[in-house]
C-alpha cells in the first residue's frame, strides 16, 4: 500500500462543476502540499497545509490531521483547470516529500 | 509567489556526452534544493538533496558520479548528467525552499526534458 493515496485517479467534469480530489496518507507529516502539473510538465505549488483550510480563488484545500486526510476542491471548474493534481506529504521522520500518484482531471466545455 | 527557473527546458544530446541543467531561485534564497526525476505518467522520484555550500545527499540507487550536483550559491544549483545514455532520458525537475526545515514552502521549477539519442 502506498503511503500517499489519491482518489480518484482520473476525473472528467463538465465546465462549471464542483470538483473534489481526495488524499489519504499513512505517515506522520509536518505539512501537506497540493501541486498542479500541466501537460508539458511544469509543476505549480497550489497549497501547503499543516492544519485547517486554505482558499485561493476557486481552489480550496482542507486537511484533517487526526484522520490523515486532505481534500482539494475546485469550484466552478473550467477547461483550463485540466491538469494532473498531486498530493505530497512531508514526512516528519525524513523531512522528504512523499508523492501521491496524481489525479488526472479533464474539464470539458 | 516565489519562482524557480530551470534552463534549458528541453535538451537533446548524443549518447556519451554530458549535459548541465541549471536551477535558479529568482526571488528568494534557496537554502535547500532538491532534484527529482519523473518518468512518463509516474510520480516524482527524489534524486538528491543539496544544501548551499555542502555536498549533495543522494538517494539510494542514484549514482553520484553520474549525476553531479553543485549548489554553489543560494540562488543556483546545477545537475550535470555525465556520459549520458538513452536510459537517462527523462523529465528532471528541481525544487527549492528557503529554509532547511519542512516549515518552509517548497517551490518547483518548470522541468527539463532530456532526450539522449
Amino acid at each position: 500500500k502506498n503511503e500517499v493515496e489519491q482518489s480518484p485517479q482520473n476525473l472528467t467534469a463538465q465546465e462549471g462543476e464542483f470538483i473534489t480530489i481526495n488524499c489519504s496518507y499513512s505517515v506522520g507529516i509536518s505539512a501537506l502540499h497540493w501541486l498542479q502539473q500541466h501537460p508539458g510538465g511544469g509543476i505549480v505549488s497550489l497549497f501547503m497545509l499543516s492544519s485547517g483550510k486554505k482558499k485561493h480563488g476557486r481552489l480550496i484545500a482542507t486537511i484533517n490531521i487526526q484522520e490523515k486526510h486532505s481534500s482539494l476542491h475546485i469550484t466552478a471548474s473550467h477547461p483550463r483547470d485540466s491538469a494532473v493534481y498531486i498530493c505530497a506529504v512531508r514526512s516528519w521522520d525524513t523531512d522528504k516529500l512523499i508523492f501521491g500518484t496524481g489525479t488526472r482531471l479533464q474539464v470539458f466545455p | 509567489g516565489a519562482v524557480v527557473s530551470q534552463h534549458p527546458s528541453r535538451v537533446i544530446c548524443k549518447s556519451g556526452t554530458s549535459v548541465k541543467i541549471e536551477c535558479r531561485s529568482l526571488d528568494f534564497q534557496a537554502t535547500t534544493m532538491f532534484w527529482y526525476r519523473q518518468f512518463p505518467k509516474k510520480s516524482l522520484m527524489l534524486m538528491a538533496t543539496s544544501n548551499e555550500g555542502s555536498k549533495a545527499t543522494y538517494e539510494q540507487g542514484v549514482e553520484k558520479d553520474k549525476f553531479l550536483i553543485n549548489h554553489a550559491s543560494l540562488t543556483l544549483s546545477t545537475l550535470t548528467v555525465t556520459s549520458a545514455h538513452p536510459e537517462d532520458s527523462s523529465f528532471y525537475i528541481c525544487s527549492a525552499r528557503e529554509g532547511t526545515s519542512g516549515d518552509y514552502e517548497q517551490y518547483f521549477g518548470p522541468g527539463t526534458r532530456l532526450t539522449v539519442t
Side-chain angles (χ1 to χ4, degrees), chain B residues 69-116:
Chain B
I69 290 170
N70 186 298
H71 189 168
S73 79
L74 284 171
T75 58
L76 174 65
S77 176
T78 59
L79 167 68
T80 302
V81 183
T82 62
S83 187
H85 287 275
E87 58 266 29
D88 299 325
S89 298
S90 195
F91 192 60
Y92 293 88
I93 302 169
C94 79
S95 181
R97 72 182 185 204
E98 199 166 1
T100 54
S101 80
D103 294 335
Y104 291 89
E105 180 89 51
Q106 186 171 331
Y107 301 97
F108 290 82
T112 296
R113 189 162 302 282
L114 169 64
T115 304
V116 184

Side-chain angles (χ1 to χ4, degrees), chain B residues 13-108:
Chain B
C13 70
K14 289 188 187 303
S15 192
T17 61
S18 293
V19 173
K20 182 185 280 190
I21 302 169
E22 289 187 352
C23 175
R24 292 181 186 273
S25 59
L26 298 184
D27 52 2
F28 68 100
Q29 294 191 318
T31 307
T32 306
M33 283 186 165
F34 306 88
W35 286 95
Y36 296 90
R37 182 174 180 176
Q38 187 181 36
F39 293 101
K41 298 195 191 272
K42 297 288 185 188
S43 262
L44 281 70
M45 182 190 80
L46 180 65
M47 299 174 67
T49 302
S50 71
N51 292 307
E52 184 263 339
S54 304
K55 284 187 180 179
T57 302
Y58 289 80
E59 294 301 298
Q60 195 170 12
V62 178
E63 299 174 60
K64 62 181 181 191
D65 295 330
K66 172 86 174 156
F67 299 100
L68 299 178
I69 290 170
N70 186 298
H71 189 168
S73 79
L74 284 171
T75 58
L76 174 65
S77 176
T78 59
L79 167 68
T80 302
V81 183
T82 62
S83 187
H85 287 275
E87 58 266 29
D88 299 325
S89 298
S90 195
F91 192 60
Y92 293 88
I93 302 169
C94 79
S95 181
R97 72 182 185 204
E98 199 166 1
T100 54
S101 80
D103 294 335
Y104 291 89
E105 180 89 51
Q106 186 171 331
Y107 301 97
F108 290 82

Side-chain angles (χ1 to χ4, degrees), chain A residues 1-6 22-34 49-51 62-71 87-92 98-100:
Chain A
K1 192 178 190 296
N2 293 333
E3 292 167 306
V4 181
E5 297 270 3
Q6 283 184 241
N22 295 299
C23 175
S24 295
Y25 53 92
S26 57
V27 296
I29 70 168
S30 56
L32 181 144
H33 295 252
W34 280 103
L49 291 163
S50 54
S51 66
T62 63
I63 187 168
N64 185 320
I65 296 292
Q66 285 74 27
E67 293 185 7
K68 295 192 173 181
H69 181 269
S70 175
S71 293
C87 171
V89 302
R90 180 165 300 286
S91 164
W92 191 264
I98 305 170
F99 295 87

Side-chain angles (χ1 to χ4, degrees), chain A residues 18-23 32-35 45-64 69-75 85-88:
Chain A
F18 181 85
I19 286 160
T20 296
I21 299 170
N22 295 299
C23 175
L32 181 144
H33 295 252
W34 280 103
L35 310 170
S45 183
L46 299 175
F47 294 104
M48 184 175 90
L49 291 163
S50 54
S51 66
K53 176 179 172 178
K54 285 190 177 179
K55 185 176 190 292
H56 186 253
R58 294 180 296 107
L59 302 178
I60 302 166
T62 63
I63 187 168
N64 185 320
H69 181 269
S70 175
S71 293
L72 175 69
H73 305 286
I74 304 175
T75 61
Y85 291 84
I86 303 168
C87 171

